[in-house]
């Protein structure tokens, strides 16, 4: 059913696998069902892909946005637990721009299985694998592109070292390959898919029906560590990446250009809002949220430490997520049982402190 405005919700999953939804517009809550005990969660703005002992279990939040580029349509349907994609190890999940078209890539590190799901089938409640390709076990990724996906291949030491495009039938396309040493981190923007490498990033696009894998190297002379995680507001071309150095990499996928933004301390998470003012929202190792302006690198807001318990428990810290949309950022504090709604444009003001009835061990914002 089409509706007039985005149906923003938080999907929360507790440690036992109970799943709930918190309506951010009306504050009402819904219980969706139960999955296995989660170890990770990812979202494309509609579906939540949760790693459990069975594999990857898929939750349909029933709320999503269709991005037409110059305008948007908003939809709502009944939420449901759809089922499981079997695999060994917690899968790395790579989502595309649209939840009802294209594909979603999963890579299971313990088995080396790269799986591409059909999003059109998911929108009808059916889990359908376009392909399942088995590679040597490694910490890999499968990033959707058109009807296929770009998948990492390892070197002799088992480290991801290159990217190969597979078509919708799981066949490797000759010539559609690029070196990507120590491939880590991935995201899909309106412009391109991005996979981080030790020497830069590979941008993945389609030129007509032909896949293109283009390396964007880091600037010469840089001493900053490579980015190993990327995040951004959905649909925007600029992404933020963090590594071990104190600072944030910003990659403009439209301009094929990197910018290094130094910070006083290393960051655990960073997301580019890519709005008119160029806000970048980060989380440091002391649990503080910071807001910067990309163009100048100036810090324009910050919070007190929000994660005192998570910082003393690495398992809780792994579950901490920082999500940004057009107006707010959401930080879950799993050890405290809270989600902070942060107005990044107003000096990182805490707009609301939410306490969902389903404990937010893992949180995903949907309806975006």
């Amino acid at each position: 059913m089409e509706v007039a405005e985005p149906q923003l919700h938080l999907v929360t999953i507790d440690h036992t696998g109970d799943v709930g939804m918190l309506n951010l517009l009306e504050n009402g809550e819904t219980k969706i069902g139960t999955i296995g005990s989660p170890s990770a969660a990812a979202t494309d703005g509609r579906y939540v892909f949760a790693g459990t002992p069975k594999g990857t279990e898929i939750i349909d939040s029933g709320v999503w946005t269709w991005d037409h580029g110059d305008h948007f349509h908003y939809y709502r349907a009944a939420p449901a637990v759809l089922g499981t994609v079997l695999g060994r190890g917690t899968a790395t999940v790579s989502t595309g721009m649209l939840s009802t078209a294209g594909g979603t890539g999963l890579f299971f590190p313990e088995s080396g299985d790269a799986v591409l799901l059909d999003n059109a089938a998911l929108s009808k409640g059916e889990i359908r694998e376009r392909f399942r390709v088995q590679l040597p076990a490694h910490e890999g990724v499968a990033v959707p592109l058109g009807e296929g996906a770009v998948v990492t291949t390892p070197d002799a030491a088992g480290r991801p070292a290159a990217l190969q495009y597979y078509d919708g039938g799981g066949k490797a396309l000759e010539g559609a390959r690029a070196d990507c040493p120590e491939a880590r981190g991935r995201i899909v923007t309106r412009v391109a898919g991005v996979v981080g490498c030790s020497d830069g990033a590979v941008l993945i696009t389609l030129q007509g029906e032909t896949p293109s894998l283009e390396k964007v190297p880091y600037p010469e002379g840089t001493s900053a560590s490579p980015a190993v995680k990327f995040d951004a507001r959905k649909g925007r071309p600029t992404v933020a990446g963090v590594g071990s150095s104190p600072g944030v990499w910003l990659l403009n996928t439209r301009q094929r250009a990197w910018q290094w933004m130094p910070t006083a301390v290393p960051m655990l998470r960073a997301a580019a809002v890519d709005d008119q003012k160029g806000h970048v929202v980060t989380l440091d190792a002391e649990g503080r949220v910071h807001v910067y302006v990309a163009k100048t690198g100036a810090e324009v807001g910050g919070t007190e430490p929000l994660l005192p318990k998570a910082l003393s428990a690495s398992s809780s810290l792994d579950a901490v997520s920082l999500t940004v949309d057009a107006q707010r950022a959401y930080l879950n504090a799993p050890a405290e049982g809270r989600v902070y709604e942060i107005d990044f444009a107003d000096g990182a003001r805490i707009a609301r402190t939410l306490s969902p009835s389903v404990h937010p061990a893992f949180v995903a914002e949907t309806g975006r």
Side-chain angles (χ1 to χ4, degrees):
M1 177 179 67
E2 187 166 1
V3 292
E5 60 183 338
Q7 301 296 294
L8 298 179
H9 286 68
L10 294 181
V11 175
T12 60
I13 310 172
D14 70 16
H15 290 293
T16 69
D18 285 343
V19 183
M21 281 180 60
L22 174 63
N23 188 321
L24 291 171
L25 303 179
E26 302 171 358
N27 292 322
E29 291 192 68
T30 303
K31 298 290 181 66
I32 299 178
T34 302
I35 62 173
S37 178
S39 57
T43 185
D44 65 351
R46 173 178 179 174
Y47 304 104
V48 180
F49 303 88
T52 74
K54 297 179 182 179
T56 298
E57 298 193 53
I58 303 177
I59 303 154
D60 183 359
S61 71
V63 289
W64 71 98
T65 295
W66 183 278
D67 183 352
H68 281 271
D70 59 348
H71 68 284
F72 301 90
H73 292 272
Y74 312 109
Y75 295 93
R76 184 163 191 164
V81 176
L82 298 185
T84 306
V85 181
L86 300 178
R88 299 203 315 271
T90 300
T92 298
V93 180
S94 303
T95 62
M97 285 293 299
L98 299 173
S99 61
T100 55
T104 297
L106 286 70
F107 194 94
F108 292 95
E110 292 182 12
S111 63
D113 283 353
V115 180
L116 181 65
L117 301 179
D118 187 323
N119 284 357
L122 277 183
S123 70
K124 300 173 184 176
E126 176 187 353
I127 298 176
R128 180 186 302 162
E129 296 183 7
R130 287 186 176 177
F131 69 63
R132 181 180 287 253
V133 176
Q134 187 162 18
L135 297 162
H138 67 285
E139 295 291 335
V141 299
V143 180
L145 177 69
E147 298 300 311
V150 170
V151 181
T152 51
T153 60
D155 59 18
R159 297 170 299 196
L163 303 175
Q164 171 66 55
Y165 179 78
Y166 290 82
D167 66 19
K171 180 182 178 181
L173 184 63
E174 186 176 352
R177 185 178 176 89
D179 291 335
C180 185
E182 299 178 41
R184 292 183 66 185
R186 77 285 172 210
I187 192 170
V188 175
T189 76
R190 184 192 299 274
V191 177
V194 178
V195 178
C197 318
S198 62
D199 56 356
V202 172
L203 299 193
I204 306 161
T205 59
L206 281 177
Q207 306 297 325
E209 298 297 322
T210 304
S212 171
L213 283 71
E214 175 188 356
K215 177 66 72 68
V216 180
Y218 285 117
E220 291 186 10
T222 182
S223 60
S225 64
V228 297
K229 298 176 184 175
F230 295 97
D231 206 353
R233 175 159 62 107
K234 184 178 179 181
R236 302 299 301 158
T238 300
V239 303
V242 294
S244 59
S245 298
V248 176
W249 281 110
L250 298 172
L251 173 61
N252 187 314
T253 59
R254 183 167 285 132
Q255 298 177 1
R256 272 62 171 171
W258 290 99
Q259 175 192 341
W260 174 247
M261 190 180 74
T263 59
V265 295
M267 296 298 168
L268 301 176
R269 309 281 189 272
V273 181
D274 203 16
D275 55 356
Q276 187 173 6
K277 291 190 175 181
H279 290 108
V280 179
V281 185
T282 70
L283 174 70
D284 70 20
E286 295 186 353
R288 294 182 172 90
V289 173
H290 305 258
V291 181
Y292 299 88
V293 174
K295 186 175 182 179
T296 63
E299 184 171 355
V300 293
T303 69
E304 296 299 315
L306 301 176
L307 306 171
K309 294 181 182 178
L311 294 173
S312 63
S314 59
S315 60
S316 294
L317 189 57
D318 290 341
V320 171
S321 61
L322 178 66
T323 302
V324 295
D325 61 30
Q327 297 179 323
R328 294 288 189 266
Y330 292 92
L331 174 74
N332 70 316
E336 290 79 9
R338 301 174 189 148
V339 180
Y340 295 101
E341 182 183 78
I342 300 165
D343 186 346
F344 53 78
D346 188 18
R349 176 178 60 87
I350 305 296
R352 287 188 290 181
T353 300
L354 305 167
S355 300
S357 60
V358 174
H359 187 91
F362 291 90
V363 170
E365 185 186 4
T366 62
R368 298 178 293 133

